[in-house]
Amino acid sequence: MSSASSSIRFLCALLSISTLLVMIGCRSEHSVLFVGDIAFGESYRSGLPTDASRKRRYDTSVSALAPLLGSADLVVGNLETPITNMPRSPFAGKKRYIHHADVVETPAALSRHGIDIVSLANNHAFDYGAEGLSQSIRLLDAHEIAHYGAGASAKEAGASLVVTMPVGDVRFRLALIGAFEQQGKTYRDDYHFYADRNDPGVNALDAEALARQIADLKERMPGIFVIVTPHWGQNYGRRTAAQRHIAHALIDAGADLIVGHGAHLAQTIERYRDRLILYNLGNFVFLSPGRYAQKKVDAISLAAELVLDERQTPIAHAVRLYPIITDNLRTGYQPRPANRKERDQALKRIVESIPTTIPRTGHSTMGPYIEITLTN
């Protein structure tokens, strides 16, 4: 939340169908900031020491990105860990990477740094099974951090989170839908990661089901801006053909914006049918050693700011992309905004197909950015 409105708690009411009422001041321009994977690294035995000071882990690690978080009216991130103090995961000895987060420090840090909403539709939210997921949700609720993408049943896990934001005299509504790509037998049959009718888990990325959900939202709430946030893709890899196929199907169904994460780095950006697809934001504050050097890839991730302005048509008129450097071995576990040279390198690498609008570059108090105009 910006300093000008820090006294206003705009996440004030959780209504039916997971609706949030957002109370904001009378500025003409507002924004929703999307960031990638978040985890403070408590479960890693290498890299940032497990006995690192509280300030270093939960505050210093975020400090270089604080201006980004403070500039937005609403911040949405991907929480890449359960928040639990369970002594043992049911997947111990089976699943290679099992995450956990401190039950006191992590939710407090998320709240302190202005993370308002988190997606739980990822490959770690269920690392401690149903009990760990339930504890995570209770702790998020206790800290008034909204969440979507996982729950006690398929219906709950797949429910959209609808946010209403006053932008001038207009009530702008957006819906968030989170889903984790289906990774076959291991996650489905061995881990039972995906929620079903009666069992908890994360929301499975089913393109046909999501298409029906998007169509239903558009019919029930004319004018709503639908954003899908899939967790997908190959770690440290390029966008896959499967990602492209699913993204196009979701746009065909009426999605207005795709904001993906899960690959630990920024993937390509594409405009399709006048809608923007951000295939992968990558990391935000994700305190693992990483494998960027091993994979010989650039450690560039993105924060994406959806710009809302009552003076523009449509109100959601642009996306500003802030490249950030997320190789913890380079930054000392303190990810930072890219400089201008790094931003320009990112621009060349990630913009694949923006035929109707040439991205422009700029620099704000939050750092260098790339801006792409949205169209009707």
Side-chain angles (χ1 to χ4, degrees), residues 261-319:
H261 36 67
H264 298 303
L265 47 64
Q267 290 179 331
T268 191
I269 296 167
E270 180 187 5
R271 189 188 295 281
Y272 171 70
R273 295 187 61 179
D274 281 339
R275 297 294 182 264
L276 203 60
I277 304 169
L278 313 179
Y279 281 100
N280 227 292
L281 296 181
N283 289 346
F284 189 60
V285 175
F286 188 76
L287 302 185
S288 77
R291 299 195 295 276
Y292 299 102
Q294 176 187 338
K295 297 291 184 179
K296 298 180 180 179
V297 294
D298 294 331
I300 294 177
S301 297
L302 296 171
E305 182 183 37
L306 177 64
V307 182
L308 312 173
D309 193 329
E310 63 175 309
R311 300 165 300 182
Q312 302 285 339
T313 303
I315 286 176
H317 72 96
V319 171

Side-chain angles (χ1 to χ4, degrees), residues 72-137:
D73 295 294
L74 196 68
V75 179
V76 183
N78 175 59
L79 183 60
E80 188 80 351
T81 177
I83 309 173
T84 181
N85 56 5
M86 289 177 59
R88 182 177 172 84
S89 165
F91 310 123
K94 302 176 184 178
K95 192 172 185 286
R96 184 177 182 185
Y97 294 106
I98 296 175
H99 292 180
H100 68 267
D102 189 278
V103 296
V104 174
E105 300 291 355
T106 286
L110 294 174
S111 180
R112 185 164 63 248
H113 296 303
I115 308 297
D116 301 297
I117 302 173
V118 293
S119 172
L120 300 177
N122 58 60
N123 59 312
H124 288 290
F126 203 67
D127 274 359
Y128 278 76
E131 187 177 343
L133 175 63
S134 177
Q135 186 178 17
S136 300
I137 289 173

Side-chain angles (χ1 to χ4, degrees), residues 110-185:
L110 294 174
S111 180
R112 185 164 63 248
H113 296 303
I115 308 297
D116 301 297
I117 302 173
V118 293
S119 172
L120 300 177
N122 58 60
N123 59 312
H124 288 290
F126 203 67
D127 274 359
Y128 278 76
E131 187 177 343
L133 175 63
S134 177
Q135 186 178 17
S136 300
I137 289 173
R138 291 197 305 272
L139 289 165
L140 291 169
D141 288 343
H143 286 78
E144 298 183 324
I145 299 169
H147 49 84
Y148 65 103
S153 65
K155 182 177 180 180
E156 185 175 308
S160 57
L161 187 67
V162 177
V163 179
T164 302
M165 297 178 64
V167 181
D169 296 328
V170 179
R171 292 170 63 84
F172 178 78
R173 289 189 299 182
L174 64 88
L176 299 168
I177 305 173
F180 169 44
E181 69 178 346
Q182 300 192 55
Q183 294 196 350
K185 181 180 183 300

Side-chain angles (χ1 to χ4, degrees), residues 233-240 243 263-267 280 297:
Q234 299 174 352
N235 285 347
Y236 307 98
R238 296 179 179 273
R239 183 216 61 199
T240 65
Q243 285 175 267
H264 298 303
L265 47 64
Q267 290 179 331
N280 227 292
V297 294

